[in-house]
Each structure stands twice: as C-alpha cells, then as structure tokens.
C-alpha cells in the first residue's frame, strides 16, 4: 500500500506563473516531509522540508504547505523558471524508533515550465 | 555536494549473471541506502545500513543482497540478475544521526538482457 502518493504524473506551467505540486500521505506517524528535485541522469537533490508540527516552510521561491487533517502537502514555486523543469518527488520519514530505514517516496511529478 | 561515488555508472549484463554495484562515501556517515527508480514507481528502498555489518531489508529486497565491511563502502549484489532488475540504482547517505535529509549519488543505470 502506497503511503506517499503523487497523483499527477506531469504538470505543465507557463514561465513566471505559480507551480503547485501536490502530495498525499496515509501514515500519520511521519515526522518530516520533504521535496526532492531530480534532473535526468542525476541523483535526486534535496529541495525543502517541513516538520509535521509546522504548517508552512518557505525558502526563496519555494514554499511547502502541510495540512495534517487532510494528510496533504503541497509545494509552491513562485515564479516558475525554466530551470525548474524536473521531476519532483515528495517523501516522508518517521524518526521515532530510530528512523534508520530512510525516506518513503511518492512516484514523482514531472514539472514542465513552458516559455 | 556530499561525497558519494557510485560505480559503475552504466552496466549491461545478461540474465543469470551476478552483478555488484558499489557505493563509496567520503563523509563518514553512518547510514547508507540503496534505492531503485523505475517509471511509475518512483524511488523504492532495497536495503539499508545503519553501521558496519549492520544492514536490513527495505521494501523491494528480494533478489538483492548487501554488504558493508567498511564505513565508506556499501555494496549491492544481484546474485543472479533478471530482466525485472533493469533499473536505475541510487545510493544515498545520511548521518551522523538518521536525518530527514538524504544525499544521493548520481546513480547506476543497469540493463539486464
């Protein structure tokens, strides 16, 4: 059973507009949620994270919102730039019990920024 | 960037042959992970290690084994490769505590014919 779900395989947004990527989860024990960005032929790179006790975290053009009651988080990119075209993975981790078993990832959303 | 090197970067092999992928880190991190990435599946955990000679299974461990004899090296072995193991394999590290941030290597593209 998939614990982290990204239901949109792809998203196309015009340059300069807002990109909103969505993620749902089922495990209420997750302590942190993260977004990773991946370019072709490269490994995923960390983008932004949010603790389960927060509802918003902002870093420059990137903001992550967490709605615990809905078990939903979203990544907002404003304004969108051509270099933002990549696959974005939503991920989560439970640190209780050690947390050594790493991140659980969604299937990814391919963001395409149109000029 | 975290010092993670995966080798080889690309490999083509035949069904039934053994294959070993290597992950080498220079960060002295305690935790190391092997993930595979497949279209429609995202990243799935194969095995992980929480110290030298301490390893455990992940979500998709069947057909894979791992070894960690030194802090810096984490080996992933396919004892008898199958076509379903054609994938991109990523190594990741975190530490010194199980941190929410994982740092990934550049990946190994494995094709099993």
């Amino acid at each position: 059973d998939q614990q982290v779900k990204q239901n949109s395989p792809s998203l196309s947004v015009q340059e300069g507009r807002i990109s909103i990527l969505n993620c749902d989860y089922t495990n209420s024990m997750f302590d942190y949620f993260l977004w990773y960005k991946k370019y072709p032929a490269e490994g995923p790179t960390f983008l932004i994270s949010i603790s389960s006790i927060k509802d918003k975290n902002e870093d420059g053009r990137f903001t992550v919102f967490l709605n615990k009651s809905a078990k939903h988080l979203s990544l907002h990119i404003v304004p969108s730039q051509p270099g933002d075209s990549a696959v974005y993975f939503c991920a989560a981790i439970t640190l209780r019990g050690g947390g050594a078993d790493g991140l659980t990832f969604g299937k990814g959303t391919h963001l395409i920024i149109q000029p | 960037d975290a010092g993670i090197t995966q080798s080889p970067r690309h490999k083509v092999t035949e069904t039934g042959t053994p294959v070993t992928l290597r992950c080498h880190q220079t960060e002295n991190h305690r935790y190391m992970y092997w993930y595979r990435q497949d279209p429609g599946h995202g990243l799935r955990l194969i095995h992980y290690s929480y110290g030298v000679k301490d390893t455990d299974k992940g979500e998709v461990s069947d057909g894979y084994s791992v070894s960690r004899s030194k802090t810096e090296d984490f080996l992933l072995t396919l004892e008898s490769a199958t076509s379903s193991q054609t994938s991109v394999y990523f190594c990741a590290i975190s530490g010194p505590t199980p941190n929410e941030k994982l740092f990934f290597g550049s990946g190994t593209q494995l094709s099993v014919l």
Side-chain angles (χ1 to χ4, degrees), chain A residues 40-61:
Chain A
E42 295 183 10
T45 56
F46 170 78
L47 187 59
I48 191 169
S49 65
I50 187 168
S51 166
S52 62
I53 62 172
K54 301 285 180 70
D55 54 20
K56 178 182 176 181
N57 187 28
E58 191 172 353
D59 183 2
R61 296 187 298 114

Side-chain angles (χ1 to χ4, degrees), chain A residues 34 36 38 43 98 100 103 107, chain B residues 33 35 37 40 45 98 100 102 105:
Chain A
L34 303 86
Y36 277 77
K38 186 184 179 305
L103 294 168
K107 294 182 178 182
Chain B
Y33 306 85
Y35 284 86
Q37 184 197 3
L45 182 66
E100 68 274 17
L102 265 61

Side-chain angles (χ1 to χ4, degrees), chain A residues 23-95:
Chain A
C23 178
D24 298 297
Y25 63 95
T26 58
N27 187 348
S28 58
M29 302 295 283
F30 286 135
D31 293 297
Y32 282 90
F33 302 89
L34 303 86
W35 287 93
Y36 277 77
K37 178 178 181 179
K38 186 184 179 305
Y39 293 119
E42 295 183 10
T45 56
F46 170 78
L47 187 59
I48 191 169
S49 65
I50 187 168
S51 166
S52 62
I53 62 172
K54 301 285 180 70
D55 54 20
K56 178 182 176 181
N57 187 28
E58 191 172 353
D59 183 2
R61 296 187 298 114
F62 304 92
T63 303
V64 57
F65 296 91
L66 176 61
N67 182 335
K68 287 186 69 176
S69 62
K71 292 189 172 68
H72 177 84
L73 62 153
S74 60
L75 173 68
H76 292 212
I77 306 173
V78 183
S80 300
Q81 299 175 353
D84 297 330
S85 293
V87 176
Y88 290 79
F89 289 101
C90 175
I93 188 169
T94 301
L95 295 181

Side-chain angles (χ1 to χ4, degrees), chain B residues 3-45:
Chain B
I4 309 169
T5 305
Q6 290 186 234
S7 59
R9 289 296 312 275
H10 303 273
K11 185 168 183 67
V12 179
T13 191
E14 293 184 348
T15 299
T17 59
V19 177
T20 296
L21 309 183
R22 181 182 183 235
C23 178
H24 178 77
Q25 59 140 334
T26 57
E27 306 296 320
N28 201 34
H29 280 351
R30 178 180 175 187
Y31 301 92
M32 299 186 76
Y33 306 85
W34 278 107
Y35 284 86
R36 61 179 287 177
Q37 184 197 3
D38 304 287
H41 290 279
L43 289 151
R44 294 179 293 174
L45 182 66

